[in-house]
Amino acid sequence: MKEEKIYVTRPSLPPLEEFIKYLEDIWESRCLTNQGKYHQIFEKELADYLGVNYVSLFTNGTLALITALQVLRISGEVITTPFSFVATTHALKWNSIKPVFVDIESNYFNLNPEKIEAAITPKTTAILPVHVYGNPCDVEKIEEIANIYGLKVVYDACHAFGVKKEGKSILNFGDLSVLSFHATKAFTTMEGGAIVCHDDKTRRRIDFLKNFGFAGETKVVAPGINAKMNEAQAALGLLQLKYIDKYIEQRRKIANYYRKNLSGIKGIRYLQDLAGVKHNYSYSPILVDEKKYGLTRDELYENLKKQGIYGRRYFYPLISQFPTYRAFDSADPKNLAVAEGITKQVICLPIYPDLAFEEVDKIIRIITRK
Ligand SMILES: Cc1ncc(COP(=O)(O)O)c(C=O)c1O
């Protein structure tokens, strides 16, 4: 029998019949985009679900990030992390902003707040941290620093759908937060994204900017872009809201199973849940300490692959190592010692709601070599 390949993730989708009903309605109405009915309903229901004031939908997370920086007129230098998906830094580059890389902390691999102040210069205007794997950054400390120095904070919250800290959405921190609903994410609209903001004035400006800068039929207030989510994506999003809690619960069970079965394996570290945090279990990273485990991360990665298990080395290489960015002073590996260590150790294991426990067992067996 041919073995099925198992990838790091697989999109969760609602029953097709339910989506077809929405599509029929869209066909009938001939309203396909431009803030149509489903766009409006999804924005409201999503804001309620997430526990935030305003959500503005986008075609994808990258355009949402690029636009978020425009909304706040961020320029000059921005402090950010090298341990993320490249789109985080690309969004700065597309705004002609210089990224200044600051090292991460070693527990959850988020931007280390203790190292931010030393990187601030007269040109710094903002901080762009990432809630990596959906684990919240130290939002209080980051806010404190931002307030003292008069900096804006835009969170790349692409991994942090539905994450709460002490019952409050993590998306309520910072000036803006950006979500991605890409097919690899816990909550997907195939492609998609959003900016979360706290007041109506900012929401209006986001809406102008994502629609070519139009602030009325004949009025253009900025060199905006076209980043509007279409009606089919919005309808899918609306439908996904019915199922997301079930998806996350299933992910939680798989994460706990991995954690239980990998605990005590010398040289393998599975992250612990944070007290007071409602996680979304989007990713299942392990760290491989080659000295204690006896194999390098890449050897384990290849062993998994040989048996049809396609984990991903998120995030390797570091963003600071790509040719576009590696010439910056802040990209010097000496400045990023923790990130340089973690990037060589990490593998994200497969996790998605319909991943069978027999498959999880197989992955665990390969890792534990039993
Ligand atoms: C941390 C992070 N930032 C930004 C993005 C870009 O989002 P999108 O693929 O929706 O453009 C992603 C994922 O793709 C991501 O993981």
Side-chain angles (χ1 to χ4, degrees), residues 5-8 254 257-258 261-262 265 268 270 284 286 293 300 303-305 307-311 347-352 355-370:
K5 286 181 180 164
I6 298 175
Y7 294 101
V8 71
I254 296 169
Y257 194 79
Y258 270 131
N261 287 285
L262 294 175
I265 306 300
I268 298 290
Y270 195 94
S284 219
I286 54 167
Y293 183 65
L300 175 57
N303 280 354
L304 287 161
K305 228 158 117 176
Q307 303 201 48
I309 312 294
Y310 290 72
I347 306 180
C348 285
L349 301 177
I351 188 165
Y352 47 89
L355 178 64
F357 277 90
E358 300 87 81
E359 308 290 10
V360 183
D361 275 330
K362 176 178 168 183
I363 297 166
I364 291 167
R365 272 199 308 275
I366 300 170
I367 300 171
T368 56
R369 293 173 282 194
K370 281 185 185 148

Side-chain angles (χ1 to χ4, degrees), residues 60-62 65 84-85 87-88 130 156 158-159 180 182 185 192:
N60 60 58
T62 306
L65 272 172
S84 180
F85 183 62
T88 311
V130 182
D156 179 335
C158 286
H159 298 178
S180 164
H182 183 256
K185 300 294 185 275

Side-chain angles (χ1 to χ4, degrees), residues 66-74 176 195 202 205-206 209:
I66 291 171
T67 308
L69 297 163
Q70 290 267 328
V71 167
L72 301 175
R73 291 184 175 274
I74 292 170
L176 298 173
I195 302 182
T202 311
R205 186 159 161 76
I206 298 168
L209 285 176

